[in-house]
Amino acid sequence: MKLRIQFTKHGSMKFIGHLDTMRYFQKAIRRSGIDVTYTGGYSPHQVMAFAHPLGVGVESESEIVDIEVNSYDLILRDEDPAFTGLSNRQRLLAALDAQMSEGFTIRDIRLLPDDAGNAMASVAGASYEIHGIPEEMYAAVTGAVHDMVEATEIMILKKTKKSEQMTDIRPGMYDLRFADGILYMTVDASSAGNIKPDTVVRAICDRMGADRDLMSLSVTRTEIYGRDDSGALKPLIAFGEDF
């Protein structure tokens, strides 16, 4: 059985890198008593897949990790009176959330269909909020955002380990708004066309003619999306169901 776990990442935990987050969850799942499935061989490990690595320094309201379990049982903990009267989903959620350190919170757990795709391969988009833009720049940012939304192409210099090339990010910019001092964006987050939020911010700064220090801005990922049968963006957690 496949379970999809949605969690938040805030505060000092935003400085924990992706690999350390993976190790943290492996230990938390083991301590929680969830009957997680392990691979075979000489070095077994939990069957686990994170949807989309979060950049260091970025907070999140919706991170996704998929795990496989053998059953809904809590190993050695099903007699705990704290879980009396709870559904399978509620027991697993409460048991795992109890193992979270400050900065991590388990928001939801859903049961995935047997034919559900891999979490990472299913990612199609992500939404972000950018806070910390100085008030004196609001008018310029509003104008730059309007220009980008109306543009037919937005060319940026994309650097890789081996080369540099100009890339049009406009097709992967699904939504861009600036309201009440907050920059909202929904962008392509697939492996083929991944657009990072700082790329969009830099494009805005280029249009403003501003050299902006991105370290002074606060970035929060608010949702990760896949695509449903109609091709529309749908939160990854919504592909699962209650159990």
Side-chain angles (χ1 to χ4, degrees):
M1 293 177 288
K2 301 177 183 178
L3 299 181
R4 176 157 290 171
I5 301 169
Q6 182 186 43
F7 65 95
T8 67
K9 189 178 183 183
H10 288 292
S12 59
M13 290 302 170
K14 70 180 182 180
F15 298 112
I16 303 298
H18 179 62
L19 292 179
D20 286 331
T21 299
M22 289 178 60
R23 297 186 188 101
Y24 176 87
F25 267 81
Q26 288 169 353
K27 294 176 181 179
I29 288 171
R30 187 169 62 247
R31 290 195 302 266
S32 71
I34 291 176
D35 188 15
V36 65
T37 301
Y38 283 82
T39 61
Y42 292 103
S43 181
H45 58 273
Q46 295 174 15
V47 179
M48 171 187 294
F50 282 76
H52 194 283
L54 188 67
V56 174
V58 179
E59 295 188 314
S60 180
E61 292 288 344
S62 181
E63 292 304 285
I64 296 292
V65 57
D66 290 353
I67 63 173
E68 289 190 18
V69 296
N70 301 310
S71 70
Y72 298 140
D73 296 336
L74 289 172
I75 300 173
L76 303 179
R77 299 190 65 192
D78 267 337
E79 301 304 319
D80 190 326
F83 304 128
T84 301
L86 299 181
S87 67
N88 289 324
R89 171 184 163 276
Q90 291 171 331
R91 285 189 303 108
L92 297 186
L93 194 157
L96 184 55
D97 191 51
Q99 303 303 319
M100 294 293 105
S101 299
E102 183 177 355
F104 283 120
T105 301
I106 304 300
R107 283 186 56 186
D108 203 354
I109 299 181
R110 302 282 185 93
L111 176 66
L112 291 175
D114 291 337
D115 60 352
N118 175 276
M120 182 173 290
S122 300
V123 174
S127 293
Y128 298 88
E129 291 182 4
I130 314 294
H131 297 254
I133 298 172
E135 188 171 352
E136 63 270 19
M137 299 181 70
Y138 285 5
V141 171
T142 299
V145 167
H146 178 268
D147 289 347
M148 289 176 63
V149 171
E150 294 297 318
T152 56
E153 66 175 19
I154 302 172
M155 303 301 296
I156 58 101
L157 181 63
K158 188 172 183 179
K159 298 180 180 180
T160 66
K161 293 181 179 179
K162 297 182 179 179
S163 65
E164 296 182 356
Q165 63 178 5
M166 297 301 294
T167 302
D168 181 14
I169 64 171
R170 185 63 185 88
M173 196 176 71
Y174 305 136
D175 181 51
L176 185 65
R177 295 175 289 115
F178 182 64
D180 300 322
I182 304 172
L183 181 65
Y184 301 89
M185 68 178 76
T186 301
V187 295
D188 187 347
S190 66
S191 57
N194 185 34
I195 298 174
K196 297 180 180 180
D198 64 320
T199 299
V200 179
V201 172
R202 289 186 187 279
I204 292 173
C205 291
D206 288 345
R207 287 183 177 256
M208 294 167 50
D211 184 14
R212 187 72 191 137
D213 179 10
L214 299 180
M215 292 300 291
S216 65
L217 301 179
S218 173
V219 182
T220 300
R221 182 151 70 192
T222 55
E223 194 59 84
I224 305 177
Y225 303 94
R227 291 196 182 276
D228 63 17
D229 293 339
S230 70
L233 292 177
K234 177 180 176 179
L236 279 184
I237 191 64
F239 285 88
E241 59 187 29
D242 198 359
F243 60 97

